[in-house]
Amino acid sequence: MTAPATPAVVLVGPPGSGKSTVGRLLAERLGLPFQDTDTAVEQLTGKSVADLFVEEGEPHFRRLERNVVRAAATGFPGVLALGGGAVMAEESRALLGPLPVVFLEVPLGDAVKRVGLDAPRPLLAVNPRARWRELMEARRPLYLEVATAVVATEGRTPEQVADAVLEALEWKAPHV
C-alpha cells in the first residue's frame, strides 16, 4: 500500500494575502489541482463561511475546517490554500510540519485593498483595520511557526508572488 499523496505546497496567511489567487497560479504552473479549505468547507455544507459563522458559530466552523485541513494535508496532491485562521488549531499546525508551507506576508494597506471593507469576512465585520491587526498579532507567530518559507507580497503582482514562492521552495515551474 502506498502512502497518500500530500500537498506539493501549502499557502498560509491572513485574509487578503492572495492565497487563493497565487495558489491557482501555482497549481496551473505545476500542472496540479488546487484546493482552498474555505471553499471546501462551503462545498461540504452548502453555506458560505460568513453564513456558517452567523448561523452555526465559529467553533462549529473551526471543527469543519480542521476536518478539511486534515483530509487535504494527508491526501491532497496539489496546491493547498488554508483559510486565514486554520493555523490556530494545534492539530492543523502539527499536520503542516512535514509539508512545504509558504507564509504570504501582506501589509495591512494591501490586505484592506484586496479584501475590501465590505467583503463578507465574519471576523473583519466590525472595524476591519483594527480587527485585522489583532488577528495578525495572534496569528503571525503561528504562520511563522509552520512556514518553510516567507514570501512578501507587497508591491508584487500575483504572478510575481507565484514566482517568489517557487524560488523560495527552489522549484522551477515547468516550461510551457
Side-chain angles (χ1 to χ4, degrees):
M1 182 172 165
T2 61
T6 59
V9 62
V10 179
L11 300 175
V12 299
S17 61
K19 299 178 301 285
S20 296
T21 301
V22 171
R24 284 185 191 91
L25 287 170
L26 287 170
E28 184 179 308
R29 290 182 186 185
L30 297 169
L32 296 171
F34 171 74
Q35 182 178 3
D36 178 300
T37 58
D38 283 349
T39 302
V41 169
E42 290 176 343
Q43 290 171 342
L44 181 70
T45 63
K47 295 181 180 183
S48 71
V49 170
D51 286 346
L52 283 167
F53 264 74
V54 170
E55 296 170 14
E56 308 287 339
E58 184 177 1
H60 177 73
F61 169 77
R62 295 297 176 199
R63 275 191 301 278
L64 294 169
E65 181 180 57
R66 282 192 305 276
N67 291 339
V68 167
V69 169
R70 183 183 319 108
T74 60
F76 177 71
V79 176
L80 180 64
L82 296 191
V87 297
M88 299 299 287
E90 186 176 337
E91 172 190 351
S92 296
R93 290 194 311 275
L95 289 166
L96 297 175
L99 303 175
V101 178
V102 177
F103 167 29
L104 297 183
E105 193 164 40
V106 62
L108 172 62
D110 286 357
V112 168
K113 286 179 207 166
R114 293 175 189 168
V115 172
L117 296 178
D118 60 349
R121 305 273 181 160
L123 291 179
L124 299 178
V126 178
N127 195 346
R129 288 175 186 268
R131 186 65 181 129
W132 192 90
R133 282 189 188 101
E134 290 171 13
L135 291 174
M136 280 305 293
E137 280 181 29
R139 294 176 181 177
R140 189 173 196 284
L142 302 176
Y143 294 142
L144 291 170
E145 176 187 319
V146 300
T148 306
V150 178
V151 171
T153 64
E154 185 173 18
R156 291 178 162 168
T157 65
E159 292 78 10
Q160 290 169 328
V161 174
D163 290 342
V165 168
L166 292 172
E167 184 178 313
L169 295 176
E170 299 179 357
W171 287 355
K172 302 298 179 224
H175 296 288
V176 183

